[in-house]
Amino acid sequence: YAGRSALARELCSEALVGFRQTGRIIGIAGALFYRGLFGMDLPGIAALDDLTESLHLWQRIGAVHTLDCLQAIATIAIERNHETTGLSLLAAIDAYRQTNQQPLRLKRFQQSFANAVLRAQVQLAPPEFDACWQSGSAMAIEDAVAEALVFVTLERSRARTA
């Protein structure tokens, strides 16, 4: 669906309706996740809302996809000039993946991760980048989720006042 994000979001929305009707939690979480991914370049908070709902569902069922949602939220944070938040989240994800031997599964996610880290590195002074990476690396995933939710709440407030 490269270059056809609107169509991809529409298809995810259609799938989401079906999954909600049948109560298939994994389907709902997946459809929300991908609809959020395909909407990351859109202004506003729709993608963050999708990713946040997906994050909560993945957490509830204990799936590794929690990390994928966090990575997408971190990427949005960096793209919206919240480099320290985004980088801390990426560092927490990286530390968790290394500790638990859970590499990024898809090449697209690997590329997205690397690009987000590089963007933050360009925006932050080296000492700030290093400090942010170090503090994020020491963060538990539960704390990273909490930090991501604070960012989402701030973005929602910003959207309401805009």
Side-chain angles (χ1 to χ4, degrees):
Y1 293 99
R4 296 170 56 190
S5 294
L7 174 60
R9 282 187 57 78
E10 185 179 322
L11 292 173
C12 289
S13 294
E14 290 174 14
L16 183 57
V17 169
F19 290 132
R20 286 196 194 278
Q21 287 173 345
T22 60
R24 298 185 66 195
I25 301 298
I26 291 174
I28 295 168
L32 285 164
F33 173 70
Y34 282 104
R35 189 170 74 174
L37 279 185
F38 289 120
M40 285 175 61
D41 59 342
L42 299 174
I45 60 165
L48 284 171
D49 285 342
D50 287 342
L51 291 166
T52 301
E53 186 179 351
S54 180
L55 174 68
H56 288 303
L57 292 171
W58 289 127
Q59 278 189 293
R60 194 168 98 195
I61 59 178
V64 70
H65 299 297
T66 298
L67 301 176
D68 300 335
C69 289
L70 276 176
Q71 180 178 329
I73 293 169
T75 300
I76 292 172
I78 291 169
E79 289 173 359
R80 294 186 182 182
N81 300 316
H82 294 271
E83 292 88 0
T84 56
T85 297
L87 186 62
S88 292
L89 296 175
L90 293 176
I93 293 164
D94 185 60
Y96 182 89
R97 287 192 185 282
Q98 287 186 26
T99 300
N100 294 286
Q101 299 174 341
Q102 293 181 352
L104 284 164
R105 295 169 286 115
L106 301 174
K107 215 171 205 102
R108 173 186 168 144
F109 292 162
Q110 293 168 359
Q111 186 68 39
S112 171
F113 187 93
N115 289 344
V117 170
L118 182 60
R119 181 173 171 147
Q121 192 170 24
V122 167
Q123 296 298 323
L124 299 172
E128 188 177 15
F129 178 91
D130 293 340
C132 221
W133 189 266
Q134 191 171 48
S135 68
S137 294
M139 192 183 309
I141 285 300
E142 296 77 17
D143 296 331
V145 168
E147 187 170 326
L149 295 177
V150 168
F151 165 72
V152 171
T153 300
L154 290 172
E155 287 297 295
R156 284 184 182 137
S157 295
R158 194 170 290 125
R160 276 194 297 270
T161 59

